[in-house]
Amino acid sequence: IYPYEGILEEGECYPYGAYAKGYIFLYPYVGKEFIEFNLRTKEQKRYSWDYPFEAYEEVLYCKNKIWFTPLLSDRILTMDINTKTFIEISLGNLYDKDCKYHQIVVNGNALFFIPFESDIVLRLDLLNEKISKICLPIKDKCLLVKFSSLKLMVLASHRDNFLYIYDDKLKKIKML
């Protein structure tokens, strides 16, 4: 059975979503609406989605907000789940049009935006929403994939077969 049976209409594509407080928030890859679906009552609400095709990819719920990974955008997008208001956080001089971020990880009081092909990981401090960059120990663009862990942020380089771990005290990524 299709996981969104009874939620989506024919032709809609919602590959990204996040669970928060009894709701699933679905965001379109292509489309003009995002969906808030109540898992208890099965009710849904639709809201306007005014962002370009492929601008954002993976999403994550953290601290009453949905966070969006900037695939083809120069901004991180966040939505307050209570007010449904969106805020854009500029990447400023950290933006690189050739670097596409496709995954997001929460670790401690920070979000990490994992690149599709780059040697730079973005770190957003959740306490002050400041963005910084963390360079990988090797200067080569590599395809990174995250591993889920409650205490550690571990990344794997698909192409080079390296494992990386984030050191929160040093605010650096080290090769294992």
Side-chain angles (χ1 to χ4, degrees), residues 22-139:
Y23 292 86
I24 294 177
F25 295 89
L26 299 171
Y27 297 89
Y29 189 69
V30 178
K32 295 291 181 192
E33 295 178 316
F34 78 88
I35 298 172
E36 173 188 57
F37 184 76
N38 184 316
L39 290 170
R40 189 178 51 78
T41 66
K42 308 295 186 233
E43 291 179 75
Q44 67 172 280
K45 293 180 183 173
R46 291 177 176 252
Y47 301 91
S48 178
W49 175 258
D50 299 320
Y51 298 93
F53 172 66
E54 292 185 333
Y56 298 96
E57 194 159 297
E58 189 173 79
V59 296
L60 173 83
Y61 169 73
C62 183
K63 300 195 184 248
N64 288 320
K65 294 180 180 179
I66 305 289
W67 297 87
F68 297 77
T69 305
L71 181 67
L72 295 175
S73 178
D74 62 349
R75 301 171 187 282
I76 293 170
L77 184 66
T78 182
M79 185 198 79
D80 183 300
I81 65 164
N82 298 313
T83 64
K84 312 304 181 283
T85 54
F86 288 92
I87 296 172
E88 297 176 354
I89 303 169
S90 174
L91 297 178
N93 63 354
L94 297 176
Y95 175 67
D96 176 354
K97 68 177 178 58
D98 295 325
C99 183
K100 297 165 179 65
Y101 293 91
H102 71 124
Q103 294 182 328
I104 185 172
V105 177
V106 63
N107 184 266
N109 283 318
L111 295 177
F112 295 85
F113 296 89
I114 312 303
F116 182 68
E117 271 199 28
S118 178
D119 60 350
I120 296 173
V121 172
L122 295 180
R123 180 185 184 276
L124 184 134
D125 188 309
L126 288 167
L127 301 177
N128 60 22
E129 294 192 358
K130 300 275 189 225
I131 303 170
S132 57
K133 71 178 181 178
I134 301 171
C135 297
L136 292 176
I138 62 168
K139 294 290 177 206

